[in-house]
Amino acid sequence: MKRKIFTIATLFVAAAISVAVVSCQKDNETPEENVVAKSVNNESKELLNRIYAFQELKDNINSGKRSGESMTLEELRDDIDLTFNYEHSQHALPCSNATLDTFYVSMPKVDANGNVSAADAIATYNAFEAGLESLMASVDDDMNLAKNFSIKFPEEGTRSGNEIEVVFTRATEEERYPWYAPFEEGDDYKWGKNLGHCSGVSEITDAADELTKLFQFKPGSSIISPYKIVYVEYTAFDFYGGEGNYDDLVYYDGEHSSDVDYWLFAEFGEFEEEPCIMYYELNHYYNNINNVCVRPNAPLHNDPVTGRPYIECIVNDIEDVVTKNTGTLGGQPSVFAKFHTLKVTYGYLLHGDSNSN
């Protein structure tokens, strides 16, 4: 998917200021209980930190920096498992015609204490990447999606004592995500402003509200609280000025479903009557939002400033005078526009037993 994101400097400042850290304890919660509850999330944070540390070590070693570090064979196994799947497993992409495939990597040198030097550890990781690249370059069956790597270090005294076995799923990537149609014939709504149903039925709702309902967070029973929240707003076209001062929006330009001009609703010019969004168009916008933002591998699934993951989003209806960007800023005409923006909530979720307090 083609991706183009413009981030204005003010967005970085606004995003940094808008981070809300949930740090207050409940009235009946002791500090010890608070620590226990938060520790449920600590394991995933620690694993991510291990990945980041190994990536930093890899970058340093590959750039020629020396390191006196070493690690046990078990630490190396875990670091490679975590990092290789993190960097190379395309686990979130839909696939078909799946099969298992295998490649082998030579064991690194282990010293008398059972440790592996940092240089040998990274050389082994580089060999993993080279092995996968070589195997995937040789396939001619269109099954070129790789995911879910099982990494098996050899047991001492076995015939394969000098090789690491890597088994993974190799499959054909589906060209499109499954199509969902939550809106049915007759589910036609005015674009915004709580103008209701296109049929004239009196309802305090509109197309933006109906889309928003489908993207509200649905907490599971184990989720206690969100924390480190940040908000980012996206629009489907690049524009400047406007009474609403939308200069700090992040703009996404990518593929979108047919029958709509943008991945979010946008119309320009003079309006004799309020635009109506038909049910099939709403289904396109619903699927576009999923593919652009909601799915784990979507280009906007993570906040571009902090990297925090998607939690939920709100579709806002906006009308304003805007200056459309067609390549240069000078001399561009201002036009009246009615459009939707996508305000996304990013952050983390604290898991635990809500009845433990």
Side-chain angles (χ1 to χ4, degrees):
M1 179 179 284
K2 181 182 177 184
R3 179 182 180 185
K4 181 167 60 177
I5 294 180
F6 297 85
T7 51
I8 310 301
T10 52
L11 172 65
F12 288 88
V13 177
I17 294 174
S18 64
V19 173
V21 181
V22 179
S23 59
C24 296
Q25 301 173 11
K26 299 177 182 178
D27 293 339
N28 61 343
E29 185 176 80
T30 66
E32 292 78 10
E33 288 173 331
N34 187 49
V35 170
V36 171
K38 290 184 177 180
S39 68
V40 178
N41 258 355
N42 285 346
E43 182 179 1
S44 60
K45 294 178 186 176
E46 290 173 1
L47 293 177
L48 275 173
N49 287 336
R50 286 189 65 172
I51 291 172
Y52 299 150
F54 192 79
Q55 288 177 320
E56 183 179 7
L57 177 64
K58 175 165 63 83
D59 291 341
N60 289 338
I61 296 293
N62 288 338
S63 64
K65 296 180 181 179
R66 294 186 178 183
S67 173
E69 295 181 49
S70 64
M71 63 188 71
T72 67
L73 210 53
E74 183 176 352
E75 289 172 334
L76 175 61
R77 184 201 330 264
D78 290 344
D79 285 345
I80 287 181
D81 190 319
L82 285 166
T83 309
F84 201 75
N85 273 294
Y86 180 81
E87 292 187 340
H88 296 286
S89 176
Q90 301 180 67
H91 59 279
L93 295 179
C95 65
S96 60
N97 301 323
T99 187
L100 295 182
D101 213 333
T102 306
F103 65 92
Y104 296 88
V105 175
S106 296
M107 279 288 292
K109 181 180 178 180
V110 182
D111 66 20
N113 296 319
N115 295 327
V116 178
S117 70
D120 287 344
I122 300 308
T124 301
Y125 189 87
N126 292 341
F128 268 73
E129 293 187 316
L132 176 63
E133 182 179 1
S134 176
L135 188 153
M136 298 304 289
S138 66
V139 301
D140 56 3
D141 53 9
D142 293 327
M143 299 168 68
N144 51 11
L145 182 148
K147 62 180 184 178
N148 302 334
F149 297 92
S150 171
I151 298 171
K152 184 179 180 181
F153 274 55
E155 298 178 8
E156 289 188 20
T158 61
R159 183 176 179 180
S160 59
N162 292 321
E163 289 185 322
I164 304 169
E165 181 183 61
V166 185
V167 182
F168 66 101
T169 299
R170 186 166 62 83
T172 301
E173 181 181 351
E174 293 284 1
E175 292 186 3
R176 299 182 63 89
Y177 282 105
W179 176 262
Y180 298 104
F183 297 97
E184 300 178 350
E185 187 171 357
D187 291 336
D188 312 319
Y189 292 90
K190 295 291 186 179
W191 73 281
K193 299 174 65 176
N194 284 327
L195 293 173
H197 202 280
C198 295
S199 65
V201 175
S202 178
E203 294 180 87
I204 304 177
T205 188
D206 53 43
D209 291 338
E210 294 301 310
L211 282 168
T212 295
K213 292 175 185 177
L214 299 176
F215 292 101
Q216 293 303 284
F217 175 67
K218 298 178 178 63
S221 60
S222 67
I223 296 175
I224 297 176
S225 173
Y227 65 105
K228 292 190 176 179
I229 299 300
V230 62
Y231 294 100
V232 181
E233 194 166 26
Y234 301 97
T235 185
F237 65 98
D238 191 14
F239 64 103
Y240 297 85
E243 297 175 3
N245 296 319
Y246 299 103
D247 293 352
D248 60 352
L249 288 173
V250 176
Y251 162 59
Y252 170 83
D253 179 19
E255 297 174 1
H256 53 74
S257 306
S258 58
D259 296 335
V260 293
D261 294 328
Y262 297 90
W263 70 276
L264 287 175
F265 167 78
E267 287 191 11
F268 308 92
E270 300 296 327
F271 297 87
E272 294 184 2
E273 61 182 49
E274 297 290 345
C276 182
I277 304 181
M278 306 301 289
Y279 75 95
Y280 56 84
E281 295 176 283
L282 287 171
N283 283 328
H284 284 296
Y285 294 129
Y286 173 78
N287 283 276
N288 289 341
I289 293 169
N290 268 308
N291 294 337
V292 167
C293 201
V294 180
R295 299 184 187 279
N297 64 307
L300 299 180
H301 183 77
N302 296 90
D303 166 38
V305 179
T306 66
R308 291 165 192 163
Y310 168 95
I311 294 179
E312 66 176 3
C313 62
I314 297 170
V315 179
N316 289 325
D317 48 284
I318 307 290
E319 55 182 5
D320 205 350
V321 176
V322 300
T323 302
K324 293 179 66 178
N325 177 32
T326 58
T328 60
L329 291 178
Q332 298 300 320
S334 294
V335 295
F336 191 73
K338 297 176 185 286
F339 55 96
H340 288 167
T341 68
L342 191 71
K343 179 162 284 188
V344 181
T345 304
Y346 293 105
Y348 300 108
L349 299 172
L350 178 63
H351 294 257
D353 183 1
S354 59
N355 297 318
S356 63
N357 298 317

